[in-house]
Amino acid sequence: GQNIDQPTEMTATEGAIVQINCTYQTSGFNGLFWYQQHAGEAPTFLSYNVLDGLEEKGRFSSFLSRSKGYSYLLLKELQMKDSASYLCAVNAGNNRKLIWGLGTSLAVNP
Amino acid sequence: NAGVTQTPKFRILKIGQSMTLQCAQDMNHNYMYWYRQDPGMGLKLIYYSVGAGITDKGEVPNGYNVSRSTTEDFPLRLELAAPSQTSVYFCASQPGGARGYTFGSGTRLTVV
């Protein structure tokens, strides 16, 4: 079957670093997306990893290991506005039917 | 650029009523999608389209219909609304390839 696992909730302190993990088991793999979704709003695109390794975009970085079926999103210098749900989604061979995780709700405390 | 525009933002329907959720994008994206999002259930794909005149079912198509007469518009039709269709509906578009989806702001639908 197709499965994506993410922790349900995480908490962190403003200014700190947090790592949100995503593990996947899918019949195929063409890439992995990370999206941010604030409460009551639409998801917004953060990153797309196709090859192994770390990709950095400002305060946010995303890592992929295809052999381990594992990815993480790293958020540095946390700000209160980073409190949101973070969704992991896998392109399992058909870009038109992504497999979505249930999301990790991150609370950033002062 | 407006991006992806969804209307209405909120709607309350009675059981058995019908309605159309509108979605329009001005980015000339070929791919468009309709998702529903329920608490604790994640995003579920209802229908998608790879271009004008072409649509296909996603994971949860029952009770819904779509059309794609133009590249810009991808309306979602609910016939005979049921309480199980109470959800937040998101439309999204994508240019294809290794690119992220752009989501609309969503429609909160309640069926009573």
Short mmCIF file of all heavy atoms in Angstrom, two decimals, chain A residues 34-60:
data_model
loop_
_atom_site.label_atom_id
_atom_site.label_comp_id
_atom_site.label_asym_id
_atom_site.label_seq_id
_atom_site.Cartn_x
_atom_site.Cartn_y
_atom_site.Cartn_z
N TRP A 34 6.95 19.48 0.24
CA TRP A 34 6.58 20.01 1.55
C TRP A 34 5.74 21.26 1.33
O TRP A 34 6.08 22.13 0.52
CB TRP A 34 7.80 20.37 2.39
CG TRP A 34 8.49 19.20 3.01
CD1 TRP A 34 9.61 18.55 2.56
CD2 TRP A 34 8.12 18.54 4.23
NE1 TRP A 34 9.95 17.52 3.40
CE2 TRP A 34 9.06 17.50 4.44
CE3 TRP A 34 7.11 18.72 5.16
CZ2 TRP A 34 8.99 16.65 5.55
CZ3 TRP A 34 7.04 17.88 6.25
CH2 TRP A 34 7.98 16.85 6.43
N TYR A 35 4.63 21.32 2.08
CA TYR A 35 3.74 22.47 2.05
C TYR A 35 3.53 22.96 3.47
O TYR A 35 3.56 22.19 4.43
CB TYR A 35 2.37 22.10 1.46
CG TYR A 35 2.37 21.93 -0.03
CD1 TYR A 35 2.78 20.74 -0.63
CD2 TYR A 35 1.95 22.98 -0.87
CE1 TYR A 35 2.78 20.60 -1.99
CE2 TYR A 35 1.94 22.82 -2.24
CZ TYR A 35 2.37 21.64 -2.79
OH TYR A 35 2.37 21.49 -4.15
N GLN A 36 3.25 24.26 3.58
CA GLN A 36 2.89 24.88 4.85
C GLN A 36 1.42 25.29 4.79
O GLN A 36 0.98 25.82 3.76
CB GLN A 36 3.75 26.12 5.11
CG GLN A 36 3.46 26.85 6.41
CD GLN A 36 4.16 28.21 6.46
OE1 GLN A 36 3.95 29.07 5.61
NE2 GLN A 36 5.03 28.38 7.45
N GLN A 37 0.70 25.01 5.85
CA GLN A 37 -0.71 25.42 5.88
C GLN A 37 -1.04 26.06 7.22
O GLN A 37 -1.07 25.39 8.25
CB GLN A 37 -1.64 24.22 5.63
CG GLN A 37 -3.10 24.61 5.51
CD GLN A 37 -4.00 23.45 5.17
OE1 GLN A 37 -3.69 22.30 5.43
NE2 GLN A 37 -5.15 23.75 4.57
N HIS A 38 -1.30 27.36 7.20
CA HIS A 38 -1.77 28.04 8.40
C HIS A 38 -3.24 27.72 8.61
O HIS A 38 -3.98 27.46 7.66
CB HIS A 38 -1.57 29.55 8.29
CG HIS A 38 -0.14 29.97 8.45
ND1 HIS A 38 0.66 30.30 7.38
CD2 HIS A 38 0.63 30.09 9.56
CE1 HIS A 38 1.87 30.62 7.82
NE2 HIS A 38 1.88 30.49 9.15
N ALA A 39 -3.65 27.76 9.88
CA ALA A 39 -5.03 27.42 10.22
C ALA A 39 -6.02 28.25 9.42
O ALA A 39 -5.91 29.49 9.37
CB ALA A 39 -5.26 27.61 11.72
N GLY A 40 -6.97 27.59 8.79
CA GLY A 40 -8.00 28.27 8.04
C GLY A 40 -7.57 28.78 6.69
O GLY A 40 -8.33 29.50 6.02
N GLU A 41 -6.36 28.43 6.28
CA GLU A 41 -5.85 28.91 4.99
C GLU A 41 -5.49 27.75 4.07
O GLU A 41 -5.55 26.58 4.46
CB GLU A 41 -4.64 29.82 5.21
CG GLU A 41 -4.97 31.05 6.02
CD GLU A 41 -3.76 31.98 6.17
OE1 GLU A 41 -2.73 31.74 5.50
OE2 GLU A 41 -3.84 32.93 6.95
N ALA A 42 -5.12 28.08 2.85
CA ALA A 42 -4.73 27.06 1.87
C ALA A 42 -3.27 26.66 2.07
O ALA A 42 -2.46 27.44 2.58
CB ALA A 42 -4.93 27.61 0.46
N PRO A 43 -2.91 25.46 1.66
CA PRO A 43 -1.48 25.07 1.68
C PRO A 43 -0.67 25.94 0.72
O PRO A 43 -1.16 26.33 -0.35
CB PRO A 43 -1.50 23.62 1.19
CG PRO A 43 -2.90 23.15 1.39
CD PRO A 43 -3.76 24.35 1.20
N THR A 44 0.56 26.22 1.12
CA THR A 44 1.47 26.94 0.23
C THR A 44 2.74 26.12 0.05
O THR A 44 3.24 25.52 1.00
CB THR A 44 1.83 28.34 0.76
OG1 THR A 44 2.36 28.20 2.08
CG2 THR A 44 0.62 29.24 0.79
N PHE A 45 3.25 26.11 -1.17
CA PHE A 45 4.39 25.29 -1.54
C PHE A 45 5.67 25.76 -0.86
O PHE A 45 5.97 26.96 -0.85
CB PHE A 45 4.55 25.36 -3.07
CG PHE A 45 5.80 24.75 -3.61
CD1 PHE A 45 5.97 23.38 -3.62
CD2 PHE A 45 6.81 25.55 -4.11
CE1 PHE A 45 7.13 22.82 -4.13
CE2 PHE A 45 7.97 25.00 -4.62
CZ PHE A 45 8.13 23.63 -4.64
N LEU A 46 6.41 24.82 -0.27
CA LEU A 46 7.71 25.14 0.33
C LEU A 46 8.87 24.58 -0.48
O LEU A 46 9.83 25.28 -0.77
CB LEU A 46 7.79 24.57 1.76
CG LEU A 46 6.90 25.21 2.83
CD1 LEU A 46 7.05 24.47 4.14
CD2 LEU A 46 7.22 26.69 2.99
N SER A 47 8.81 23.27 -0.81
CA SER A 47 9.96 22.66 -1.46
C SER A 47 9.56 21.39 -2.19
O SER A 47 8.50 20.82 -1.93
CB SER A 47 11.05 22.32 -0.44
OG SER A 47 10.58 21.32 0.46
N TYR A 48 10.43 20.98 -3.11
CA TYR A 48 10.23 19.73 -3.85
C TYR A 48 11.59 19.07 -3.99
O TYR A 48 12.50 19.65 -4.59
CB TYR A 48 9.62 20.01 -5.21
CG TYR A 48 9.28 18.78 -6.03
CD1 TYR A 48 8.52 17.75 -5.48
CD2 TYR A 48 9.70 18.65 -7.34
CE1 TYR A 48 8.19 16.63 -6.23
CE2 TYR A 48 9.39 17.53 -8.10
CZ TYR A 48 8.62 16.52 -7.54
OH TYR A 48 8.29 15.41 -8.28
N ASN A 49 11.76 17.88 -3.41
CA ASN A 49 13.02 17.15 -3.50
C ASN A 49 12.86 15.95 -4.42
O ASN A 49 11.92 15.17 -4.27
CB ASN A 49 13.44 16.64 -2.12
CG ASN A 49 13.85 17.75 -1.18
OD1 ASN A 49 13.03 18.58 -0.81
ND2 ASN A 49 15.10 17.78 -0.81
N VAL A 50 13.79 15.82 -5.35
CA VAL A 50 13.79 14.69 -6.26
C VAL A 50 15.01 13.80 -6.00
O VAL A 50 14.92 12.58 -6.01
CB VAL A 50 13.79 15.15 -7.73
CG1 VAL A 50 13.85 13.97 -8.67
CG2 VAL A 50 12.55 15.98 -8.01
N LEU A 51 16.14 14.44 -5.76
CA LEU A 51 17.39 13.71 -5.53
C LEU A 51 17.76 13.73 -4.06
O LEU A 51 17.32 14.60 -3.30
CB LEU A 51 18.51 14.35 -6.36
CG LEU A 51 18.28 14.38 -7.87
CD1 LEU A 51 19.42 15.11 -8.57
CD2 LEU A 51 18.13 12.97 -8.42
N ASP A 52 18.58 12.79 -3.64
CA ASP A 52 19.04 12.72 -2.26
C ASP A 52 19.84 13.96 -1.89
O ASP A 52 20.57 14.51 -2.71
CB ASP A 52 19.93 11.49 -2.05
CG ASP A 52 19.16 10.19 -2.13
OD1 ASP A 52 17.92 10.24 -2.20
OD2 ASP A 52 19.79 9.13 -2.15
N GLY A 53 19.70 14.35 -0.63
CA GLY A 53 20.51 15.45 -0.14
C GLY A 53 19.66 16.56 0.43
O GLY A 53 18.44 16.45 0.57
N LEU A 54 20.35 17.63 0.79
CA LEU A 54 19.73 18.76 1.47
C LEU A 54 19.59 19.92 0.50
O LEU A 54 20.54 20.28 -0.20
CB LEU A 54 20.61 19.18 2.65
CG LEU A 54 20.08 20.27 3.58
CD1 LEU A 54 18.88 19.76 4.36
CD2 LEU A 54 21.19 20.73 4.51
N GLU A 55 18.41 20.51 0.49
CA GLU A 55 18.19 21.73 -0.29
C GLU A 55 17.79 22.84 0.67
O GLU A 55 16.87 22.66 1.47
CB GLU A 55 17.08 21.51 -1.32
CG GLU A 55 17.47 20.53 -2.40
CD GLU A 55 16.67 20.71 -3.67
OE1 GLU A 55 15.89 21.67 -3.77
OE2 GLU A 55 16.82 19.87 -4.57
N GLU A 56 18.46 23.96 0.55
CA GLU A 56 18.23 25.07 1.47
C GLU A 56 17.55 26.23 0.78
O GLU A 56 17.92 26.61 -0.33
CB GLU A 56 19.56 25.52 2.09
CG GLU A 56 20.26 24.42 2.86
CD GLU A 56 21.49 24.90 3.61
OE1 GLU A 56 21.35 25.71 4.53
OE2 GLU A 56 22.60 24.46 3.24
N LYS A 57 16.57 26.78 1.49
CA LYS A 57 15.86 27.95 0.98
C LYS A 57 15.66 28.89 2.15
O LYS A 57 14.66 28.82 2.86
CB LYS A 57 14.48 27.57 0.43
CG LYS A 57 14.43 27.06 -0.97
CD LYS A 57 12.96 26.89 -1.38
CE LYS A 57 12.83 26.28 -2.74
NZ LYS A 57 11.41 26.14 -3.14
N GLY A 58 16.60 29.76 2.38
CA GLY A 58 16.48 30.70 3.50
C GLY A 58 16.47 29.98 4.83
O GLY A 58 17.34 29.15 5.12
N ARG A 59 15.45 30.22 5.65
CA ARG A 59 15.37 29.58 6.97
C ARG A 59 14.91 28.12 6.89
O ARG A 59 15.01 27.38 7.84
CB ARG A 59 14.42 30.36 7.88
CG ARG A 59 14.89 31.75 8.24
CD ARG A 59 14.00 32.36 9.33
NE ARG A 59 12.60 32.48 8.92
CZ ARG A 59 11.60 31.80 9.47
NH1 ARG A 59 11.82 30.94 10.44
NH2 ARG A 59 10.34 31.99 9.04
N PHE A 60 14.37 27.73 5.72
CA PHE A 60 13.83 26.40 5.57
C PHE A 60 14.76 25.54 4.70
O PHE A 60 15.25 26.00 3.67
CB PHE A 60 12.45 26.44 4.91
CG PHE A 60 11.36 27.04 5.77
CD1 PHE A 60 11.64 27.71 6.94
CD2 PHE A 60 10.03 26.93 5.37
CE1 PHE A 60 10.63 28.25 7.71
CE2 PHE A 60 9.01 27.47 6.15
CZ PHE A 60 9.31 28.13 7.31
#
